[in-house]
Amino acid sequence: MEEGGSGGSGGSDSSTSGSGGAQQRELERMAEVLVTGEQLRLRLHEEKVIKDRRHHLKTYPNCFVAKELIDWLIEHKEASDRETAIKLMQKLADRGIIHHVCDEHKEFKDVKLFYRFRKDDGTFPLDNEVKAFMRGQRLYEKLMSPENTLLQPREEEGVKYERTFMASEFLDWLVQEGEATTRKEAEQLCHRLMEHGIIQHVSNKHPFVDSNLLYQFRMNFRRRRRLMELLNEKSPSSQETHDSPFCLRKQSHDNRKSTSFMSVSPSKEIKIVSAVRRSSMSSCGSSGYFSSSPTLSSSPPVLCNPKSVLKRPVTSEELLTPGAPYARKTFTIVGDAVGWGFVVRGSKPCHIQAVDPSGPAAAAGMKVCQFVVSVNGLNVLHVDYRTVSNLILTGPRTIVMEVMEELEC
């Protein structure tokens, strides 16, 4: 891809491809930092860590206190200790994502200083790379909307690829959506997206041309990033599922098999729970993922019969029996950019099968093995997970869930 748009001489291929590869890796690292920073910014706004603050009779809008943020990162297991938290935030500062409100401190310090995301004060540097990235992210989100069907599994040269778009159809769509005024302008946009590593040919053999060739987005903008990933200098190499509802670490890279995820049990121990992509939700009766987008992929069905985390079957009647050893709890969960962060399974009653340790549900107090009583005021004790799935996916971003949790003896 590095040589595709330049038409350079053959004698410089080795040196150019080497520098092009390094540039591509740097673009990928930059993109990952931008996505990670934006996801963190949204979470901090939702939890009121970012807010207007006063100091010496002056108000500083939309800022956070460095020391308080480090406490928050450790509490939410985004950093193991204060030193690591400082390194993580310094990564964001070095990329121009955050800064001291008066720009008097280039280093991120574990003190009561005010810092702010540049996106919150309009000082974010919009160079060509960032502009291309933000344009690509916007296009990706539009393509992933429920009504859009441009991204489909397709075959090229006998190999099947997930979530591809045909070049000619993509150009039509860009003009139709007003992203470009002419087809030539749309093609120029696609060349820029390729140059900045946003899209690529499915087998990386061709530059972008108006044809029936297939292309894909190189990264999944919706995958929930862990802040610790910023300390890994290598770009993520494994393909992520594009409709992943929350970032649970994959233990297997084969999307056609069931995938194992880390989940948090009530006893705080870590269990491995077998789970599947949300694309199979309509074809199997075992589990559903909750993402802020209700899109169901047209991918082929995958295996989806993870073993229940429940020690034994429990009926709705048992839960409602007077004096039964269960306590009711109510959670208000605000979905973030990638979802609510939990998996429900079962029927009459449904139960929580997995919880993303860094997701909104975990922050609200949700745990595995809890039984779902109601969703947004509607009793769901006597329905299966499909009904619960529909209530959540078609409902508001903020959901109120009542659950019952077994009391410890």
Side-chain angles (χ1 to χ4, degrees):
M1 188 181 90
E2 295 84 5
E3 309 301 326
S6 62
S9 63
S12 61
D13 278 355
S14 59
S15 61
T16 308
S17 62
S19 61
Q23 181 185 18
Q24 184 62 54
R25 288 191 293 274
E26 174 58 24
L27 288 173
E28 290 176 0
R29 280 195 292 270
M30 179 204 71
E32 286 296 327
V33 175
L34 289 175
V35 175
T36 304
E38 179 61 9
Q39 290 183 358
L40 177 63
R41 186 183 74 88
L42 293 173
R43 289 179 68 191
L44 295 179
H45 270 288
E46 287 170 356
E47 302 205 16
K48 310 300 182 188
V49 178
I50 293 176
K51 58 186 178 181
D52 295 353
R53 300 175 186 271
R54 289 182 63 83
H55 182 66
H56 289 171
L57 302 181
K58 182 177 179 180
T59 298
Y60 297 87
N62 291 326
C63 63
F64 59 88
V65 179
K67 192 175 185 67
E68 292 178 5
L69 177 61
I70 291 176
D71 293 338
W72 186 91
L73 292 174
I74 294 173
E75 179 186 349
H76 288 77
K77 296 181 172 52
E78 290 288 353
S80 55
D81 51 56
R82 306 192 79 79
E83 182 180 356
T84 301
I86 292 172
K87 289 180 180 178
L88 291 169
M89 298 309 297
Q90 188 62 49
K91 286 279 186 182
L92 297 182
D94 292 342
R95 292 281 183 174
I97 295 174
I98 64 169
H99 69 123
H100 178 250
V101 291
C102 298
D103 290 318
E104 295 175 354
H105 303 275
K106 291 185 179 180
E107 297 80 20
F108 189 85
K109 301 179 179 180
D110 186 4
V111 293
K112 292 184 177 180
L113 287 175
F114 292 170
Y115 288 81
R116 184 186 291 130
F117 281 80
R118 289 190 179 275
K119 198 166 182 180
D120 284 331
D121 61 14
T123 62
F124 194 78
L126 293 177
D127 56 23
N128 289 335
E129 285 78 12
V130 173
K131 287 180 181 178
F133 166 81
M134 294 178 72
R135 187 76 176 273
Q137 185 176 29
R138 187 174 78 245
L139 293 175
Y140 180 91
E141 290 298 333
K142 290 177 73 172
L143 289 168
M144 290 294 287
S145 64
E147 63 274 8
N148 197 296
T149 59
L150 198 65
L151 299 183
Q152 295 287 343
R154 296 182 177 91
E155 284 191 14
E156 186 170 292
E157 296 182 351
V159 179
K160 189 169 185 178
Y161 300 92
E162 294 293 323
R163 287 176 180 76
T164 68
F165 57 87
M166 191 178 297
S168 58
E169 293 180 357
F170 189 49
L171 294 176
D172 292 337
W173 179 81
L174 288 171
V175 175
Q176 178 185 336
E177 290 292 311
E179 295 289 344
T181 55
T182 65
R183 196 175 186 82
K184 185 172 183 58
E185 183 183 322
E187 192 169 356
Q188 291 172 344
L189 169 59
C190 292
H191 285 304
R192 289 199 300 274
L193 294 177
M194 274 197 92
E195 289 168 6
H196 290 91
I198 307 298
I199 63 174
Q200 68 175 14
H201 177 250
V202 288
S203 61
N204 214 16
K205 292 180 180 179
H206 301 282
F208 189 90
V209 289
D210 186 353
S211 64
N212 291 337
L213 290 174
L214 303 181
Y215 297 82
Q216 291 173 313
F217 279 81
R218 287 178 59 91
M219 68 182 300
N220 175 8
F221 291 96
R222 290 186 172 186
R223 178 179 70 85
R224 180 193 285 278
R225 272 70 174 175
R226 296 301 302 268
L227 217 56
M228 288 296 293
E229 293 178 33
L230 296 180
L231 300 183
N232 181 8
E233 291 302 319
K234 295 182 179 180
S235 300
S237 57
S238 60
Q239 282 278 345
E240 301 292 339
T241 54
H242 287 243
D243 55 355
S244 174
F246 48 78
C247 182
L248 292 181
R249 262 180 311 221
K250 293 184 179 180
Q251 307 296 317
S252 167
H253 298 294
D254 186 354
N255 285 336
R256 290 170 298 179
K257 297 180 181 178
S258 60
T259 308
S260 296
F261 295 107
M262 305 293 284
S263 69
V264 181
S265 74
S267 62
K268 300 296 182 183
E269 69 187 38
I270 298 296
K271 290 184 178 181
I272 300 293
V273 179
S274 178
V276 295
R277 298 186 332 186
R278 183 163 47 90
S279 59
S280 64
M281 190 160 68
S282 61
S283 61
C284 59
S286 57
S287 66
Y289 292 88
F290 297 123
S291 165
S292 51
S293 167
T295 308
L296 294 182
S297 160
S298 57
S299 304
V302 293
L303 299 177
C304 55
N305 188 27
K307 182 179 178 181
S308 172
V309 294
L310 298 179
K311 296 178 181 178
R312 63 178 181 82
V314 175
T315 64
S316 299
E317 289 71 23
E318 180 180 343
L319 291 176
L320 298 174
T321 301
Y326 296 95
R328 287 183 181 246
K329 294 185 177 182
T330 302
F331 305 128
T332 300
I333 307 170
V334 181
D336 62 14
V338 289
W340 292 272
F342 66 95
V343 178
V344 71
R345 183 188 175 195
S347 176
K348 304 178 183 181
C350 301
H351 64 271
I352 305 303
Q353 176 76 6
V355 179
D356 172 16
S358 64
M366 182 174 283
K367 302 174 184 177
V368 299
C369 296
Q370 291 173 334
F371 297 95
V372 185
V373 176
S374 68
V375 176
N376 294 331
L378 296 175
N379 188 293
V380 294
L381 272 176
H382 300 285
V383 300
D384 64 11
Y385 89 95
R386 295 177 187 274
T387 303
V388 176
S389 299
N390 188 57
L391 284 173
I392 295 172
L393 291 172
T394 60
R397 185 181 182 188
T398 299
I399 58 174
V400 178
M401 291 186 64
E402 184 181 12
V403 303
M404 295 187 78
E405 178 179 312
E406 187 171 10
L407 298 173
E408 296 182 2
C409 299

